[in-house]
Amino acid sequence: MANEPNEGEPLFHAATYTQAPKVSHKVLTKEERQVLIKQHEEKQQEAAKLDQVASKGPVGRWWSRLQSGPNRITPAMAIVALGVVYGDIGTSPLYTMQTFLNGQGGLAHADREAVLGVLSLVFWSITLITTVKYVLIAMRIDNKGEGGIFALYSLVRKYGAWLAIPAMLGGAAFLADSVLTPAVSISSAVEGLETLPAFEKLFTENKQLTLMITAAIILMLFSVQSRGTERIGKAFGSVVLVWFSFLAVVGLANLSQYWSVFAALNPVYGVRFLFSSHNAAGLAIMGTVFLSTTGAEALYSDMGHVGRGNIYFTWPFIKIALVLCYFGQGAWMLNHWDDSAYIRTHGLNPFFEMMTPSVRYVAVVLSVVAGVIASQALITGAFTMVSEATHLNWMPHLQVRYPARTRGQLYIPVVNAVLCVSTLLVLALFRDSEHISAAYGLALTITMITTTILLAVYIWHSGRRIGAVVFTVLFLAIQFMFFFASMAKFLHGGWFTMLLTFAILLVMYTWNEGTKLERAQRRHMQPAECLPVLKRLHDDDTIPYFADNIVYLTSDPETKRIDTDIFFSIFADHPKRARAWWAVSVETADEPFTREYSVENFGTDYMFRVRIRLGFKVSQSIPAYIHQIMNDLSKSGDLPRQESRYPKLDADPNIGPIRYVLIHKALMPESKVSQRGAISLEVKYAIRHFAGSPVKWFGLAPYNPLIEIQPLFLATQRPPRLKRV
């Protein structure tokens, strides 16, 4: 009897036997403090350098202002920009002129008029689409530093609900292209190994070897995405610098034989050839020309990853290298168009042919690496697109990780897995780059057209209406030519791209429609309406406690009122009596290491509305933070003292048992909703089930959370009365 514990003393000290997670008294970890100290020191050093530069006259002051603004340039991020942004456009010289020769009927038909014509079309397409539209215009229209069609839509959606249509369509097309780019760029580069004499016999005897190597590279590429685009970009950036330097050098070497090819800078050659009977491909030549601009959209969508200033800084070098390479291939064609040795050569590729055999080995190796980098540009763009679609409520909320120090550097595991599987399926379906390229590029023309529409709306409403009209007419005319020319690919594989585009569009549309229906039924109760009955339940000793604390996780941003879903959950079936009810929402802050919370108690000691803000680099360990908040409120007197005499998994004797509840919605059969609305909701719930649950994201699985289904309270149809017999 003497050893029995007192009435208030715990019977079992669970903390002795468990290692449940707890929060530290410190607000930052040792690693986070070191990162912040390093960042602070770097900023001080940069500020000192800028002050020193600013004292050296007008140029120094201009440079100081530049480095202090949104166009800031840093050597490290400039290298990252090379690796992340330019991979796709950097592989275009591999196949653009080869496609041109195939369309013309071979090298024998590539005379001066044809070569100067296509070079003129390529040069002015890169200049107008990439340099003028994206670099000089689109990149100056950003949403808090982020680019891409969804960021652009966020700026213009206040001007009309119809703008959601081009935004969704363009985003879906970009994501569809993100699936095809790794398949076509890597497979075309790996197939270059077959052209090398040393490997010719090996690939002839093993027909599936190219496919296997391509699949292995794709798997390896997607497996390293979790390390972050900053690390990948630094590794790839140096290679891209070598690649574009190589393009410039080999192009320049061939230009020395035929400098007059620069006459193609005159746009008259391009326009004349486009409408000339000498153009064997007709309007379809614009589909070939479009291949030279396929990476342009990545410049805009990846702006948030690397910063606008670093793209401005690196683009001139990229464009010069591309122009020298294309014009070098043109010079080679003009030097050899009547060479009998090439008349019967099938699939002739001027890019490889303009090099000596020894240099060609280097070109093949570099092209394989460049193909991987081209895929990286689209993968990082896809992560950004999905993240922005989530903020617009066009896609489910997914687990997002931020491997680097900036929020723009993100990684989405579900998207990475879906892209990887889809790319491998494309590879299995089409088998080689020749068939994949038939589907490639068509979707991206749609993205470019829709981006032009949204940019035109922004320019119009910013007061520059004449500029908006000129911009719209010029770029829609060019891009619709690209689109109709690319439609020639439809039956040869373009159908797959369009099918993929509309599948992604269906996900966006149904999720958006389902969200609208759910929001239409969301209701809030004023504290005066619900607190009296909650107080009565709280004090009703005839009902046993469901748990000392019931925690509802919610995405509802409202903090001054109570969500009716939570209210009805408390009273559904058997009332869930508790010492305290909690409605908790979690927000991701723009800073990396933010950890803060706010509490609204409505003047009670039993109903709490908690908003937690966590930095994007902070692990979302919600159970540990909930315990800290409860202990804080208990010490301050806002929460009545709770003690647990019996062992609990969380090993916290100062707080009573906690039960986590998540509320999911279900459509009632009697709901007065259109067939389209019902399908949208069903599809949304199916997508949510596939995308994953907040139970996993917030670390709740070990605590056996309750997932509760509530009816979606839309307007209902009254069925006829029953007849008593």
Side-chain angles (χ1 to χ4, degrees):
M1 294 294 292
N3 294 329
E4 286 190 8
N6 297 327
E7 186 175 349
E9 184 180 340
L11 296 173
F12 186 86
H13 292 281
T16 308
Y17 301 94
T18 66
Q19 296 292 333
K22 297 179 182 178
V23 297
S24 169
H25 292 291
K26 300 176 181 178
V27 295
L28 293 170
T29 66
K30 180 180 179 181
E31 293 77 12
E32 290 171 355
R33 281 196 301 273
Q34 290 175 345
V35 169
L36 291 177
I37 290 171
K38 184 178 179 182
Q39 288 179 350
H40 181 66
E41 290 175 349
E42 289 174 353
K43 287 181 179 179
Q44 285 185 323
Q45 291 173 0
E46 289 175 6
K49 288 180 181 178
L50 290 178
D51 290 340
Q52 187 177 3
V53 171
S55 63
K56 295 182 178 179
V59 175
R61 288 192 292 272
W62 168 81
W63 180 255
S64 180
R65 288 195 302 271
L66 177 69
Q67 291 296 80
S68 303
N71 298 332
R72 182 169 174 264
I73 300 167
T74 61
M77 287 308 294
I79 294 294
V80 172
L82 288 173
V84 171
V85 176
Y86 299 115
D88 194 11
I89 202 168
T91 56
S92 297
L94 289 172
Y95 45 75
T96 300
M97 289 304 166
Q98 181 185 27
T99 307
F100 160 70
L101 289 181
N102 291 338
Q104 285 297 112
L107 183 61
H109 298 87
D111 58 10
R112 180 178 173 83
E113 181 183 351
V115 171
L116 293 185
V118 74
L119 287 178
S120 182
L121 290 172
V122 166
F123 174 80
W124 286 104
S125 294
I126 294 175
T127 299
L128 291 173
I129 299 298
T130 310
T131 304
V132 176
K133 177 189 170 184
Y134 284 101
V135 177
L136 298 181
I137 297 176
M139 286 178 55
R140 300 187 68 84
I141 303 172
D142 64 284
N143 185 8
K144 297 179 181 177
E146 292 291 342
I149 193 167
F150 290 153
L152 177 59
Y153 169 72
S154 298
L155 296 174
V156 300
R157 59 179 170 178
K158 58 187 175 184
Y159 301 126
W162 67 273
L163 293 170
I165 298 172
M168 282 187 182
L169 183 59
F174 183 91
L175 290 172
D177 195 66
S178 300
V179 172
L180 267 74
T181 296
V184 69
S185 58
I186 295 176
S187 62
S188 62
V190 171
E191 286 165 12
L193 294 171
E194 299 175 5
T195 66
L196 300 177
F199 301 110
E200 185 176 354
K201 183 179 179 181
L202 178 64
F203 282 95
T204 302
E205 295 175 352
N206 300 276
K207 299 293 185 181
Q208 302 299 320
L209 185 58
T210 303
L211 196 66
M212 293 168 61
I213 293 174
T214 304
I217 293 174
I218 288 172
L219 282 170
M220 185 167 57
L221 174 65
F222 282 101
S223 68
V224 300
Q225 293 301 313
S226 60
R227 299 179 65 85
T229 53
E230 185 174 4
R231 296 181 182 181
I232 296 171
K234 286 180 179 177
F236 284 173
S238 302
V239 178
V240 170
L241 183 62
V242 173
W243 170 248
F244 277 99
S245 300
F246 178 80
L247 294 181
V249 169
V250 296
L252 198 58
N254 283 272
L255 279 169
S256 62
Q257 305 171 24
Y258 213 102
W259 288 104
S260 64
V261 77
F262 278 106
L265 295 177
N266 185 344
V268 172
Y269 283 96
V271 175
R272 186 189 300 158
F273 177 67
L274 178 62
F275 298 103
S276 169
S277 59
H278 195 65
N279 175 15
L283 183 63
I285 190 69
M286 294 303 291
T288 299
V289 172
F290 177 73
L291 295 176
S292 65
T293 67
T294 50
E297 189 73 29
L299 270 72
Y300 190 36
S301 62
D302 285 335
M303 183 170 64
H305 291 255
V306 299
R308 182 168 58 200
N310 294 301
I311 297 179
Y312 283 157
F313 179 69
T314 52
W315 171 244
F317 163 70
I318 299 298
K319 184 177 180 181
I320 291 171
L322 290 172
V323 170
L324 288 175
C325 186
Y326 282 122
F327 278 59
Q329 292 182 55
W332 181 88
M333 287 187 285
L334 289 179
N335 273 322
H336 297 85
W337 73 275
D338 57 350
D339 192 335
S340 58
Y342 295 102
I343 291 177
R344 299 184 182 278
T345 303
H346 176 72
L348 186 70
N349 191 336
F351 177 78
F352 291 109
E353 294 296 335
M354 70 176 178
M355 307 172 200
T356 61
S358 57
V359 175
R360 200 176 301 164
Y361 279 91
V362 178
V364 170
V365 173
L366 285 176
S367 66
V368 171
V369 180
V372 173
I373 297 171
S375 307
Q376 181 62 50
L378 269 295
I379 293 169
T380 54
F383 290 155
T384 303
M385 282 280 187
V386 172
S387 176
E388 290 167 351
T390 299
H391 292 308
L392 292 169
N393 279 307
W394 289 352
M395 280 192 174
H397 290 268
L398 303 170
Q399 185 180 25
V400 180
R401 298 177 188 172
Y402 300 89
R405 292 182 295 174
T406 58
R407 189 170 183 179
Q409 307 276 328
L410 51 86
Y411 165 69
I412 306 177
V414 171
V415 175
N416 192 61
V418 170
L419 282 177
C420 182
V421 172
S422 302
T423 302
L424 292 174
L425 285 175
V426 168
L427 195 63
L429 180 64
F430 291 100
R431 311 295 289 180
D432 57 47
S433 64
E434 182 181 354
H435 292 90
I436 300 171
S437 61
Y440 181 59
L442 178 57
L444 205 55
T445 61
I446 298 174
T447 305
M448 287 189 174
I449 290 169
T450 53
T451 302
T452 298
I453 293 170
L454 297 182
L455 285 170
V457 171
Y458 182 91
I459 296 169
W460 175 275
H461 286 281
S462 65
R464 295 164 287 178
R465 299 196 169 185
I466 296 176
V469 172
V470 173
F471 175 85
T472 305
V473 172
L474 175 63
F475 288 104
L476 283 186
I478 296 172
Q479 288 160 176
F480 268 112
M481 275 200 297
F482 286 153
F483 175 74
F484 290 123
S486 298
M487 281 300 290
K489 302 178 179 180
F490 185 81
L491 295 178
H492 301 283
W495 60 268
F496 180 83
T497 309
M498 300 303 285
L499 184 66
L500 196 58
T501 297
F502 284 109
I504 299 170
L505 183 63
L506 178 66
V507 170
M508 292 185 188
Y509 177 79
T510 53
W511 190 272
N512 184 48
E513 289 296 304
T515 301
K516 285 181 181 178
L517 287 170
E518 288 183 336
R519 286 181 173 178
Q521 68 84 40
R522 175 174 273 174
R523 298 290 184 271
H524 292 92
M525 303 179 71
Q526 295 293 342
E529 298 172 328
C530 59
L531 290 180
V533 67
L534 287 173
K535 174 66 173 172
R536 182 181 300 176
L537 175 61
H538 179 265
D539 297 338
D540 191 347
D541 293 333
T542 64
I543 298 176
Y545 284 117
F546 183 80
D548 283 9
N549 299 279
I550 303 176
V551 177
Y552 288 91
L553 287 179
T554 176
S555 60
D556 183 17
E558 180 67 57
T559 58
K560 297 298 181 182
R561 296 181 297 170
I562 297 173
D563 192 337
T564 54
D565 291 342
I566 294 176
F567 180 82
F568 285 116
S569 170
I570 293 172
F571 290 96
D573 302 324
H574 189 76
K576 300 182 182 68
R577 185 180 175 221
R579 297 184 191 275
W581 295 279
W582 307 78
V584 180
S585 61
V586 182
E587 299 175 0
T588 302
D590 290 330
E591 298 77 27
F593 304 126
T594 299
R595 291 180 178 87
E596 59 188 29
Y597 71 92
S598 59
V599 178
E600 170 62 55
N601 63 6
F602 305 102
T604 72
D605 60 1
Y606 52 84
M607 185 71 210
F608 299 91
R609 176 65 174 88
V610 180
R611 176 183 287 178
I612 300 175
R613 291 185 75 247
L614 298 177
F616 61 81
K617 290 282 287 180
V618 173
S619 174
Q620 297 190 343
S621 306
I622 299 307
Y625 290 127
I626 291 294
H627 274 274
Q628 181 212 321
I629 293 169
M630 290 180 177
N631 277 289
D632 288 351
L633 295 179
S634 179
K635 291 175 182 177
S636 65
D638 295 291
L639 179 68
R641 185 178 179 184
Q642 298 180 0
E643 287 186 352
S644 177
R645 301 186 64 206
Y646 297 98
K648 298 191 289 105
L649 183 65
D650 54 52
D652 187 350
N654 299 318
I655 297 297
I658 301 173
R659 192 70 192 272
Y660 295 94
V661 181
L662 286 87
I663 300 174
H664 288 176
K665 291 290 189 176
L667 189 65
M668 294 185 294
E670 302 85 6
S671 296
K672 191 183 295 183
V673 62
S674 66
Q675 186 70 21
R676 186 181 70 180
I679 293 174
S680 296
L681 285 168
E682 293 299 330
V683 172
K684 175 176 180 175
Y685 296 150
I687 294 169
R688 183 176 61 192
H689 177 75
F690 170 77
S693 168
V695 170
K696 180 179 179 181
W697 309 341
F698 296 140
L700 301 179
Y703 299 94
N704 192 27
L706 173 65
I707 298 177
E708 189 172 275
I709 306 297
Q710 279 194 17
L712 194 63
F713 287 106
L714 297 169
T716 56
Q717 297 174 340
R718 295 187 177 187
R721 294 177 61 84
L722 293 172
K723 179 180 178 181
R724 181 176 178 178
V725 296

